């Protein structure tokens, strides 16, 4: 068994060992290939990297990507210096522990927004930064939710709503509620068990979970966590190496996935500055060495995990996907009606109107606005039943779901809110979040005067202001750069008193 | 006479006695039927529940709903421990008492908004929460008032306005001012005498009071408080048991009510999270026991009082109402022009465009916006005189009333402002609130160039922006979740001083 | 000579003497006739009322309105107790004196807004309240200025602007700049010399002054303060007693006034709540006595001075005005294009589009918005030269003036800004304010590419957003009534620590 | 060699010597001609003026404008009292030095906004005031950036974006990125080396620099700093003396400039009140002497440097420019489509839609809004290739650049952001700023689905809200003048306690 001191000797770019989960690995040759850059690995050269490694990599990562010959075997962890002790005692971490000790009871969370507010207080700063960050000035992220607030209801009265039923069908699967758990990366940043927590909650409430390519758990762990008849979909980042992609897709179909959601809005993963800022560590004396390098590896979790994604993916690839799977294919990240029409022509079964939670292109429009642009065109061409249209981004309330369905969406994807519920309260949190949505759905179906989702139509909405972007979103200029307009200040009394007195 | 210690023994779900107004009742069998849930009763098992019972239940409740055999007779109250003593000495309550001691004089209230601001300071927290709360993110509640602010005047000049007369007629009754006191529940939360305070003020100013189904006073108390010729209407929640409803309606007609206002926007009473939060009590060590139960009974006053309401009420029921009463029938809570046209077809005498003060469906539009949608359609079809159209929600100023009348409303309902005036200053408060409205009405009729309500028409308004919802209403995300956008922070001076110095 | 003690005996409603400017008056019989109500006089019964009397009444008031027999002659002021001593030593007044001692130098004021900010700091609270207050929620007052901010320029380039000339002609008078000093009441509240300060500044800059009916100086004082060729206009509140009105008009014409501006937007003077609040004095032990009286006399300066105004004034009166004067007649306070057309028909020479500085009807539209509605209609009917159209309200910058002129106004009236400049810095302040406007005019004429006012036309503007009122103006509800939306609060650590710990 | 004491004797308007860069000059006769006014020179009469002189005047200024006979030769600087010592020790300056010591590392700046925030903290107050100030209420300055925020993207998906190329051609020059460094005055206020820093950064990133007429460096210094093939343009303020202008233009062409950008939006340089306020110095006892003079010389840097600009410049001058140079001519500061059409007719090669960074006419529209007005008209007339259209103002993000290019701009000018990067971090700062823009460009080209600038077209945008100015920009009135709306305040407990108690 290896000793800590032995591992610690291999602590440079030319000879780099790291410890993960009690085993040592020689990653010297792998360094240049690491999608997240060398820098982050070198930080742990000769040390235990488990805590950093864990949430970002599925457990089978090292087996898959590092040659067996580099697996050096078990380390006697008692002999390894625990570098992170200091962290636990840091003032920031102590304050966080206090906030955790004082966090509200789960029953005090009355809506999905509550979970976000609690999670913000109790999550680790870097984890919160990764989940909550978005592109550039985060304008699209906020717009995603705000757009729902420009849609108003025209409810029907005196409808018998003693019984309301908001179950529906998605890609042929009957679901209890018209939403699904959309794919989000790195679930272990928020909860030690990762995505399987969402699997269990989805099972309990009979909604579909979309499994992310970039999960912290391995794909099989997530599928294994499902119940017998539970339906899951696969979200796919397309690899530059199509063989890998094919392997992933075929495996997913074999394991029973019922839908293939190909992400099309992320040829390159977005720059999320909050995430980058949260990762920044003062280089100390080596300031000059790195100055000017804008593209070093420490650009936050998003950049670290994305270098394999193929920016060359195009419409020409769709038939190939058709050829390798019988799963329904859905394009995730469509952002204009022209591309929805192309999707129909391409013969896919569905589209998700989405801007990736505002994490890719800032000033992309909200999915719900694109939906309002799309459905009338589909209906005018008689295509509304040729393709299932989903939306995600900004959904927090049952009223948001109802708005999307009235406009013509088959269902909505919900991501961050469940992540936050999981991060703050674990499975019980996600369970309650879904239960609250169910309560809100029942209430609001009644109040809008609809007994089934078939009753939901555009006449129940007033969307005249949806396309209005007259309110200018603010960015940091407003807060940190523009001087406030001022009037002349008072003058020190001593200086002016005599003349002022004379004047009065 | 029962002793306190004796009653105190019956303190469990299996054997539950409570004291109300000095008399003991055995409610063990009634527990599962209690509309507000068992939990709230069990909190007072074996104790005096009067303070909690009082504002939520009309005095005849126990006689009506609890079998005589369960009425256990008088209790010697000197022998009952006074649990509430502690409350009076709580820091919150002491602070409230100080605010009461320092509250402004009634003459310092110059408009209806002032009463709300004072009431917020001096009311009990739970009472304020019940009155002021609304659905979800309270967006419709705020929109109700805000919508009036998107309507501007086009006043006429050089009209002889020496004499202005703003009396009008509602359902055949001549009234001094074009508003009525609309129905609001649980008046005793705000004032120990409850709704009769509003009755007296309405009498003094010759306006109509609508009596709520869920009043704290009994229906008869409120009718008895009226003067000989004072006109009252009945607001009706329709019971699942139509026999009860019929009894209520026939009784009201017999007692002289001149209008039946059937609430149609509340098949289920809304979730009002502020109200729910104000009711939350820490379960202490029993945390695990209740976790996950989203639908327990402690969901605020609104849920506690509503379980009897029939969600199956529909257009098909209208003829039956016609058959049991000669009172004019008005549908309260209509929210789109299509349903106003249906109401005309159904032969009712009127509609109240209303969203229940924003307490039911969030993102329902304001009544005044629906009014602007409705009247041109009615006029185009020659139906404007077939039905009386009322609005309520958000009215605070005479200018609001004038805007509604210019658009074509027969009158407006005002609820919360009078509740707040009553809660803060009692009858004198409501009296002054009405007097202030009268003063404002006279002034603004003159300034707009109208001498009678017949002079009020749409040409006096600019409503081009009424339908614009371009400003996104904010919710708690903005305040508690979204991180502010930041620029890089300063760095501790010690760390960088040498290199910084070198640079300078 | 009367002694103070003697006067002091007459200190009741039945026997009421007051001292003004060192002379005693018996006002017992006059009490019920006082336009400002009895209460304010009784406050000074038996005392020196000069300080309160001075700014609200022209010096000839007592001679005009109180019978000679009630003039009791000089008082030995050394024997009169000086009640106001306390005031000077009040903490509020001391703080104000400190602010005066530290006020900015005049040269530090770079625009008209600066004067307002300084005046707010150094004026007496009641004077500031009277000048700055407006109707109801002051929404129209703020809109007056805001409306200019919805108009943008489309400037011309490469125009030879070496020489720019912004002189123009108003009612036949050549003026140096396209604005006039509009009528504002009670100038002595801001400056001991009152309106004559404005007269002198107007003379220096060759602009017209409009003399207010409710000036603190007498009409003749203001005319006497003018230079030989200085042009003044008369603003007229029409008295219920037309003989008084006729006397005023004929006298003004005789004294050389060149225009008669009849106020048509004030059949009753507005309720200005800030003004009313500033006047409120705690009645102390007599609380109960006055409770409920909404219309007592202490409703601020506005109500005190207006009871003589005739609310019966109408279009039918215009010919009579025509018959008593040869001065051009202008209707001040027109607020819709229909009434501008009526004014043309009535044969008057001009209109001032105005809402009385937002002091009358709240939610009246801004003058500049009404102007944009009016001029196209006038042009379409070929009436644009039949009548001169002025606007006032909200003008603070030369760009505001240019916008109004581009839209078709002959000139703009400016009121409050000059009052504030006068209140803060006296004549030098008004002089500099006008000089700053001149500097801005020259600069901005050049930048817009216009060399004379004839070059100013609608093609230099983008007014598409002028009519948009999508941003809801806020009132006190937002600040003092609506609760912020909250998420669940943290819980005291002691209570939850054990279970929370267990959970982690 | 002159001694300090000797120079010090010549310290009045009648006999005025100053020291600059260790040499003395007799400026007595020059005083009335100084474009910046006499006052600022007299402040340094008999003293060393280098620090004030340096950033505002190119080094050849004295040689060019002051007759040789007035050059008095070298001064023994050891004998000159150092007046500025005090400054360095001032609390303001000490605080600034602390902020500099703690400023963020360059690598912590992740976008162009970050540089502005840092520069604001570390620049000298007067320098910041000059760079950041704008006309009047700075509404156009903020609108310039805000307008981009009313434009949203309609990105294309499934485009092969493995390779993206955002190089383009400007006036025939191939550039690496579609922006240029636009002309800004007084570079040495921000950095001791001035504009040559920008030259070097532009060379590194292969973008064009526009050389300002009012540079701190001399024209030749800036050209000399360029690399062999680096392209520069000349920005020209046209002098009243056309001979000077001709000399400048011919010299620039000879030195290799590839474009002549004639500023047409500044017949007179704007009033920038922040700049003026920052220059204000308390005149102390001489208050009365200067009161009322609105146009003294101390009106900030802008006014000091502009008096030579010809306000008579007009379209008639264009042919003359054509006759003196072969450089492409571009009109900088065009603000409406009509003038773009005139520019086509005048045969110039390009226009820059610009409002001078908001520093001239407040309420001028943003360049990007004018661009959206212009291009459809050009296309409708088939003129889109007859003239190159540039925009500047408010560009901070690659998304802003992309929006302008989609609308039809050939390129965008960026000014302040590079000044701020230079002021905070020197050349490394500008370098990183350009690198960040490059990173953003690559990312966002991919995300929008465009591989070359030719792919960028209006269908990629949603500009429906661009022309909407419904949100009223606020000015100082809102902050310093308008009183908040209030409700009645609480009353002191002592006064009301008894009666309040009685009431309760």
């Amino acid at each position: 068994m290896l000793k800590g001191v032995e591992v610690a000797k291999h602590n440079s770019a030319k000879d780099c060992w790291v410890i993960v989960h009690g085993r040592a690995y020689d990653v010297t040759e792998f360094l240049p290939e690491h999608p997240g850059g060398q820098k982050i690995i070198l930080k742990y050269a000769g040390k235990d990297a488990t805590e950093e490694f864990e949430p970002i990599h599925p457990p089978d990562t090292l087996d898959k990507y590092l040659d067996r010959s580099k697996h050096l075997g078990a380390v006697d962890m008692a002999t390894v210096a625990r570098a992170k002790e200091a962290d636990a005692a840091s003032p920031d971490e102590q304050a966080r522990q206090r906030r955790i000790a004082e966090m509200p009871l789960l029953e005090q969370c009355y809506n999905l927004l509550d979970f976000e507010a609690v999670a913000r207080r109790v999550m680790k700063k870097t984890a919160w930064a990764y989940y909550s960050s978005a592109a550039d000035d985060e304008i699209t992220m906020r717009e995603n939710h705000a757009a729902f607030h420009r849609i108003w209801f025209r409810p029907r009265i005196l409808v018998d709503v003693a019984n309301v039923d908001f179950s529906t069908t998605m890609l042929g699967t009957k679901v209890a509620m018209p939403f699904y758990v959309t794919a989000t990366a790195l679930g272990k940043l928020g909860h030690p068990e990762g995505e399987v927590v969402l699997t269990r909650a989805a099972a309990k409430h009979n909604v579909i979970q979309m499994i992310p390519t970039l999960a912290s758990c391995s794909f099989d762990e997530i599928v294994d966590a499902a119940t017998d008849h539970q339906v899951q979909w696969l979200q796919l980042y397309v690899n530059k190496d199509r063989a890998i992609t094919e392997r992933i897709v075929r495996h997913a179909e074999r394991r029973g996935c019922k839908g293939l959601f190909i992400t099309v809005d992320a040829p390159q993963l977005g720059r999320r500055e909050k995430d980058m800022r949260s990762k920044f560590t003062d280089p100390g004396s080596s300031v000059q060495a790195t100055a000017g390098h804008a593209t070093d590896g420490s650009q936050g979790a998003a950049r670290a995990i994305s270098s394999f994604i193929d920016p060359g993916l195009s419409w020409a690839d769709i038939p190939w996907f058709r050829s390798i799977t019988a799963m329904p294919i859905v394009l995730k990240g469509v952002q204009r009606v022209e591309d929805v029409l192309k999707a129909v022509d391409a013969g896919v079964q569905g589209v998700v109107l989405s801007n990736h939670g505002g994490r890719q292109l800032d000033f992309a429009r909200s999915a719900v606005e694109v939906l309002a642009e799309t459905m009338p065109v589909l209906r005018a061409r008689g295509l509304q039943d040729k393709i299932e249209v989903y939306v995600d981004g900004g959904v927090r309330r049952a009223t948001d779901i109802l708005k999307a369905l009235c406009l013509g969406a088959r269902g909505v994807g919900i991501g961050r809110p469940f992540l936050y519920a999981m991060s703050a309260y674990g499975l019980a949190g996600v369970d309650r979040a879904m239960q609250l949505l169910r309560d809100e759905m029942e209430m609001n179906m009644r109040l809008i005067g609809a007994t089934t989702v078939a009753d939901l139509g555009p006449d129940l909405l007033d969307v005249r202001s949806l396309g209005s972007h007259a309110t200018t979103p603010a960015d940091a200029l407003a807060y940190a750069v523009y001087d406030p307009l001022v009037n002349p200040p008072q003058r020190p009394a001593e200086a002016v008193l005599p003349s002022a007195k004379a004047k009065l």
Side-chain angles (χ1 to χ4, degrees), chain A:
Chain A
M1 215 178 203
L2 288 162
K3 299 282 180 202
V5 285
E6 193 166 355
V7 177
K9 291 174 193 163
H10 308 266
N11 62 357
S12 72
K14 313 220 148 190
D15 179 13
C16 180
W17 291 13
V18 294
I19 304 170
V20 174
H21 285 148
R23 308 187 69 84
Y25 299 87
D26 179 351
V27 295
T28 315
E29 291 175 14
F30 175 72
L31 279 174
E33 297 164 33
H34 184 231
Q38 304 188 30
K39 201 168 158 189
I40 186 67
I41 298 184
L42 287 172
K43 192 171 159 195
Y44 292 93
K47 298 179 191 162
D48 183 359
T50 308
E51 193 170 342
E52 184 84 23
F53 176 92
E54 169 84 21
I56 312 189
H57 303 80
D60 51 2
T61 306
L62 287 161
D63 291 344
K64 271 190 179 161
Y65 296 102
L66 192 69
D67 192 84
R68 279 282 144 189
S69 66
K70 306 299 183 185
H71 294 226
L72 308 174
V75 182
D76 176 359
M77 293 309 288
T79 66
V80 177
R82 301 191 52 191
K84 287 286 163 181
E85 288 290 354
D87 255 34
S90 76
D92 276 3
E93 179 59 17
Q94 287 182 346
R96 188 175 80 92
Q97 289 301 335
R98 265 196 305 280
R99 286 196 300 274
I100 290 173
E102 299 178 16
M103 67 190 275
L105 296 177
L106 178 55
E107 303 91 302
Q108 289 181 278
C109 292
Y110 291 105
N111 56 50
L112 267 61
L113 291 69
D114 284 352
F115 293 105
E116 302 198 43
V118 174
R120 185 170 180 247
R121 295 183 210 140
V122 303
M123 286 180 72
K124 286 201 176 178
K125 188 186 152 198
T126 48
W128 169 257
Y130 177 69
Y131 284 180
S132 70
S133 62
D136 284 11
D137 299 304
E138 306 195 341
I139 284 163
T140 283
M141 184 193 73
R142 291 160 201 221
E143 164 68 5
N144 281 349
H145 182 57
F148 285 107
H149 284 207
R150 296 198 300 275
I151 305 177
W152 294 75
F153 286 114
R154 305 181 70 250
R156 269 190 294 265
I157 49 149
L158 289 176
V159 175
D160 178 347
V161 289
N163 300 301
V164 296
D165 172 11
F166 37 86
S167 67
T168 189
T169 303
M170 297 185 183
L171 298 179
T173 301
K174 176 89 176 178
V175 292
M177 293 190 270
F179 66 81
Y180 58 88
V181 180
T182 196
T184 49
L186 306 189
K188 289 188 183 169
L189 284 178
H191 192 275
E193 296 182 62
E195 292 80 5
V196 297
V197 174
L198 303 174
T199 311
R200 292 179 196 124
K204 177 162 180 192
H205 289 275
N206 189 19
V207 296
I208 296 173
Q209 177 190 27
M210 188 192 295
I211 301 174
T213 296
L214 297 175
S216 297
C217 298
S218 73
F219 175 82
D220 285 321
E221 284 177 321
I222 301 172
V223 175
D224 292 344
T227 60
D228 275 6
H229 298 292
Q230 184 171 355
V231 171
Q232 291 173 310
W233 293 333
L234 176 68
Q235 175 268 335
L236 184 74
Y237 283 117
V238 179
N239 203 301
K240 288 170 183 162
D241 180 346
R242 288 294 194 280
I244 295 176
T245 292
E246 181 171 352
R247 205 158 54 224
I248 292 171
V249 171
R250 290 197 187 273
H251 180 67
E253 185 167 356
R254 230 170 11 242
R255 295 286 331 250
C257 274
K258 299 297 184 206
L260 175 64
F261 285 68
I262 305 172
T263 293
V264 295
D265 58 7
Q268 175 176 359
L269 281 196
R271 294 177 83 252
R272 294 148 200 176
E273 293 166 9
K274 180 163 65 173
D275 194 22
M276 290 155 75
R277 290 191 210 278
S278 86
K279 284 293 187 305
F280 184 84
T281 49
D282 196 323
S285 56
S286 66
V287 173
Q288 303 312 323
T290 61
H293 291 265
T295 48
D296 64 86
S298 58
Q299 296 200 1
R303 303 301 286 274
I305 57 180
S306 73
S307 59
F308 68 87
I309 298 178
D310 184 6
L313 184 71
S314 77
W315 289 105
D317 293 298
I318 303 299
W320 177 78
F321 284 102
R322 190 67 300 155
S323 76
I324 64 166
T325 186
M327 288 188 284
I329 294 178
V330 179
L331 304 181
K332 177 170 177 293
V334 180
Q335 298 182 62
R336 48 193 244 153
V337 64
E338 295 90 329
D339 284 342
V340 177
L341 295 175
K342 278 193 182 176
V344 174
D345 288 344
V348 301
Q349 277 68 31
V351 292
V352 183
L353 306 179
S354 170
N355 52 40
H356 212 112
R359 295 163 81 86
Q360 292 291 103
L361 176 66
D362 211 11
F363 285 99
R365 296 177 300 166
S366 66
V368 75
E369 184 176 347
V370 179
L371 179 66
E373 167 186 286
T374 293
M375 296 312 298
V377 176
L378 289 186
R379 286 192 202 102
R381 305 189 180 198
L383 300 173
Q384 70 275 20
D385 297 325
K386 292 280 181 199
I387 195 161
E388 295 191 358
V389 180
Y390 297 87
V391 298
D392 71 31
V395 175
R396 294 294 182 275
R397 289 276 188 188
T399 50
D400 300 337
I401 301 175
L402 287 170
K403 288 169 181 178
L405 266 67
C406 284
L407 281 171
R410 166 73 54 164
V412 308
I414 299 180
R416 283 191 186 96
F418 295 140
L419 279 186
Y420 292 137
M422 176 181 85
S423 302
Y425 297 99
L427 176 57
V430 187
D431 179 19
R432 182 169 169 94
M434 292 184 178
Q435 181 62 44
L436 286 168
L437 278 181
R438 183 189 300 272
D439 289 354
E440 288 190 11
M441 279 299 293
E442 181 180 333
M443 162 82 67
N444 288 314
M445 288 282 286
R446 283 193 169 131
L447 295 182
I448 204 176
T451 58
T452 71
V453 296
D455 291 345
L456 300 170
D459 75 296
L460 291 170
L461 301 181
D462 179 340
V463 294
R464 285 175 296 169
S465 297
L466 175 54
S468 171
H469 295 274
T471 306
T472 305
D475 57 25
L477 284 185
Y479 304 119
V481 175
Y482 295 149
D483 290 312
L485 295 168
V486 297
N487 298 106
Q490 298 290 87
R491 306 166 68 227
E494 325 62 277
V496 296
L497 203 55
S499 62
K501 263 192 180 150
K503 178 168 172 281
L504 292 171

